[in-house]
Amino acid sequence: MDLEIRPAQEHEIDILLEFEQGIVAAERPFDDTLKEGEIHYYDLLELIKSPEAEVLVAVVDNDLVGSGYAKIVDAKPYQKFTRYVHLGFMYVKPEHRGQGINKLILEALLSWAKEKNISEVRLQVYDQNDSAIIAYSKVGFKPNLLEMRIEV
């Protein structure tokens, strides 16, 4: 398997939008507040162009098989750090899961954060998404805060 982790390119937007819909489909069972039909979480072209973000793709034998992004975000005034990196858009095609691709993308994004001299990195994951929680834990992430909701 010839695997490369590299920055996404603007001309790959159609495949990246397919990945985004794969993420939405995977998360729908965990969140009944998502609208029906096609929805978008990210402005992927803006993220690709931004010097404050890095969008990476995993390429196997010239085929895009995974993705993730890191974006520098201003922290809340009460936090010890002034900025942190938020991770998102984590996706690996089903037929390529279990091969360590997500871990390689995460490690590359964490390296990017270090290059930007940012030591705090955060992401969000649904509390019932056990497979994602396990994958992030393997890289060193720890649970931090559980958001709760109620419909009245």
Side-chain angles (χ1 to χ4, degrees):
M1 175 174 74
D2 182 26
L3 172 66
E4 175 187 14
I5 307 294
R6 64 161 173 78
Q9 300 170 16
E10 289 181 47
H11 73 271
E12 297 167 327
I13 190 64
D14 290 340
I15 297 168
L16 299 176
L17 290 170
E18 287 177 24
F19 287 3
E20 182 183 33
Q21 293 312 301
I23 294 167
V24 171
E27 293 181 346
R28 280 193 192 281
F30 305 120
D31 191 343
D32 61 2
T33 68
L34 296 177
K35 294 183 203 176
E36 293 297 320
E38 186 172 310
I39 60 173
H40 296 278
Y41 293 153
Y42 319 106
D43 184 339
L44 293 169
L45 284 176
E46 179 183 310
L47 288 166
I48 290 170
K49 294 176 187 177
S50 174
E52 297 288 293
E54 179 80 314
V55 181
L56 297 179
V57 292
V59 183
V60 173
D61 300 325
N62 296 315
D63 182 30
L64 267 64
V65 301
S67 63
Y69 82 74
K71 180 179 179 182
I72 298 171
V73 178
D74 290 333
K76 302 290 185 191
Y78 52 79
Q79 292 176 312
K80 291 181 178 180
F81 42 89
T82 57
R83 301 184 330 155
Y84 67 95
V85 166
H86 175 80
L87 301 184
F89 191 46
M90 304 305 304
Y91 181 77
V92 175
K93 285 183 175 181
E95 62 270 24
H96 290 277
R97 292 180 186 159
Q99 300 173 17
I101 293 171
N102 187 61
K103 182 178 181 188
L104 293 172
I105 294 169
L106 282 167
E107 289 172 349
L109 293 172
L110 294 174
S111 292
W112 180 84
K114 287 179 187 176
E115 289 170 11
K116 298 291 185 179
N117 295 315
I118 297 178
S119 60
E120 181 74 15
V121 180
R122 296 179 173 219
L123 55 78
Q124 294 175 321
V125 59
Y126 286 99
D127 69 322
Q128 297 173 350
N129 191 345
D130 294 331
S131 62
I133 292 169
I134 290 167
Y136 296 135
S137 296
K138 286 180 180 177
V139 179
F141 283 89
K142 296 178 180 132
N144 185 51
L145 177 68
L146 175 65
E147 177 182 275
M148 297 180 72
R149 62 172 293 275
I150 187 171
E151 186 174 328
V152 294

